[in-house]
Structures are given as structure tokens and as C-alpha cells.
């Protein structure tokens, strides 16, 4: 998959998320489906934090001056299959406080702008396939795989948001 296609998937996925969040009120954003589960606001906070962390990882990977190759092929089905629970690292966990819808949208927009800034600085997109950085779940991944996993991760959480919305 080329960067142009991945950027389109990122845009489509984010547009879907923003549409869902825009349609929810503060009560819906802050309710839990189950006592120990995340609220929709917290899921969105997690997505914001994750995107910010991905931007840092991609920047670090781009600083490398050597091409590398990894035999590791990420198991994307683990990412998109919601029946497979993946514990978020502490650094990507949401805060307890609920954000308002406008604040969520503002922060999602800002984190995406930062991602696009980094991707737009890459003169040779093939560099993203030749540079690697270690992911906490999928281990060593090319930067292109990092970018791809971002929209897949967001699609996973859109499903979660819909389940929460339908269950409250």
C-alpha cells in the first residue's frame, strides 16, 4: 500500500470518527457501558495520545541514517479484531476526566495536523518503508507500517465507540 492510499484511509477513518463524535452530547461522551470500561471521551483521548506517540516514533525513525530490513510482519488481524483484547501501554491510557465534544474534535484535529506535517516533510516516501522503529505490541515495524497501523487502530476504536454508544 502506498503512502497516498494510506493517507486517504487515514482521512476517511478520521472523518468517520469526527462525524460520530459530532453527533454525541456530553452525557453520551462521558457514560460507561460497563463499570471498568472507557467512556467514548476516554477512547478519543487514547486515540489522540496514540497519534501523538506515533508522530514521535516516526520522527525518531526518520532520524536514522541507515536503511534496515525486518522479517517481522505485523499481524494486523490482531489490531482490527475487537475480540482480541490489547492492553494499552500506560503512556497511551486516557485521563479520568471527560473531555467535551469540541475539545475532543480540536485535539483530534491537532494531532492529525502534526502527523501530516511529519509525513509531508518526507521527500522520498520509500524512506518510510526502509526505516524501522520498535512498536510496543508489534515489535519492529517499518515507518510505513506505523502509519498504516494508525488508521487500523482508529477503525478498531470506532467499532468500540459504536458499541459503547449503542450500549448506553
Amino acid at each position: 500500500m502506498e503512502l497516498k492510499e494510506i493517507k486517504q484511509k487515514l482521512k476517511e477513518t478520521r472523518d468517520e470518527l469526527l462525524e460520530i463524535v459530532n453527533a454525541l452530547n456530553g452525557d453520551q461522551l462521558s457514560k460507561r457501558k460497563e463499570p471498568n470500561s472507557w467512556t467514548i471521551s476516554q477512547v478519543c483521548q487514547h486515540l489522540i495520545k496514540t497519534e501523538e506517540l506515533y508522530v514521535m516514533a516516526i520522527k525518531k525513525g526518520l532520524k536514522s541514517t541507515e536503511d534496515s530490513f525486518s522479517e517481522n510482519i505485523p499481524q494486523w488481524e490482531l489490531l482490527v479484531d475487537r475480540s482480541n483484547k490489547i492492553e494499552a501501554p500506560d503512556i497511551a491510557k486516557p485521563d479520568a476526566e471527560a473531555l467535551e465534544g469540541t475539545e475532543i474534535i480540536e485535539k483530534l484535529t491537532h494531532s492529525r495536523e502534526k502527523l501530516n506535517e511529519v509525513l509531508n516533510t518526507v521527500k522520498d516516501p520509500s524512506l518510510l518503508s526502509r526505516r524501522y522503529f520498535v512498536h510496543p505490541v508489534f515489535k519492529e515495524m517499518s515507518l510505513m507500517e506505523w502509519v498504516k497501523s494508525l488508521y487500523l487502530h482508529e477503525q478498531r476504536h470506532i467499532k468500540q465507540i459504536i458499541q459503547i454508544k449503542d450500549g448506553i
Side-chain angles (χ1 to χ4, degrees):
M1 190 175 253
E2 289 187 32
L3 183 57
K4 185 178 177 182
E5 294 171 276
I6 293 172
K7 281 182 164 183
Q8 183 59 36
K9 290 282 193 187
L10 282 164
K11 182 187 177 333
E12 290 168 4
T13 304
R14 180 55 55 91
D15 287 348
E16 180 182 358
L17 176 62
L18 292 175
E19 187 178 321
I20 292 167
V21 172
N22 261 323
L24 300 174
N25 62 40
D27 198 40
Q28 291 170 308
L29 291 169
S30 62
K31 275 208 168 133
R32 295 179 195 282
K33 184 177 172 188
E34 297 167 7
N36 293 323
S37 66
W38 286 352
T39 66
I40 293 172
S41 173
Q42 288 176 310
V43 173
C44 291
Q45 286 180 54
H46 167 70
L47 291 171
I48 294 160
K49 286 183 175 193
T50 299
E51 189 160 45
E52 291 169 348
L53 292 167
Y54 272 46
V55 167
M56 291 189 319
I58 292 166
K59 283 181 178 178
K60 286 180 182 177
L62 286 170
K63 285 182 182 174
S64 171
T65 56
E66 294 181 26
D67 288 353
S68 60
F69 178 76
S70 173
E71 296 287 330
N72 180 40
I73 298 170
Q75 296 180 351
W76 299 127
E77 63 275 3
L78 293 177
L79 188 57
V80 294
D81 179 6
R82 290 243 335 112
S83 67
N84 178 35
K85 291 286 183 196
I86 299 173
E87 178 78 19
D90 287 344
I91 196 167
K93 286 185 178 173
D95 301 326
E97 76 175 81
L99 299 177
E100 295 294 323
T102 54
E103 191 176 4
I104 292 169
I105 290 167
E106 182 181 299
K107 289 180 179 225
L108 285 167
T109 301
H110 182 71
S111 66
R112 183 51 50 90
E113 287 170 356
K114 293 294 183 194
L115 175 68
N116 286 327
E117 281 175 22
V118 170
L119 295 179
N120 291 337
T121 65
V122 178
K123 304 281 186 260
D124 176 8
S126 72
L127 192 63
L128 294 170
S129 297
R130 299 190 323 261
R131 299 288 194 270
Y132 287 75
F133 197 75
V134 177
H135 186 278
V137 174
F138 298 110
K139 305 306 173 210
E140 190 172 71
M141 292 189 338
S142 74
L143 300 181
M144 189 69 86
E145 290 166 331
W146 275 81
V147 178
K148 180 180 179 181
S149 71
L150 195 56
Y151 81 80
L152 293 170
H153 177 255
E154 200 157 287
Q155 287 174 350
R156 172 189 181 94
H157 286 293
I158 286 172
K159 290 177 188 171
Q160 180 184 15
I161 287 168
I162 291 168
Q163 287 176 335
I164 295 169
K165 181 179 71 90
D166 292 348
I168 55 175

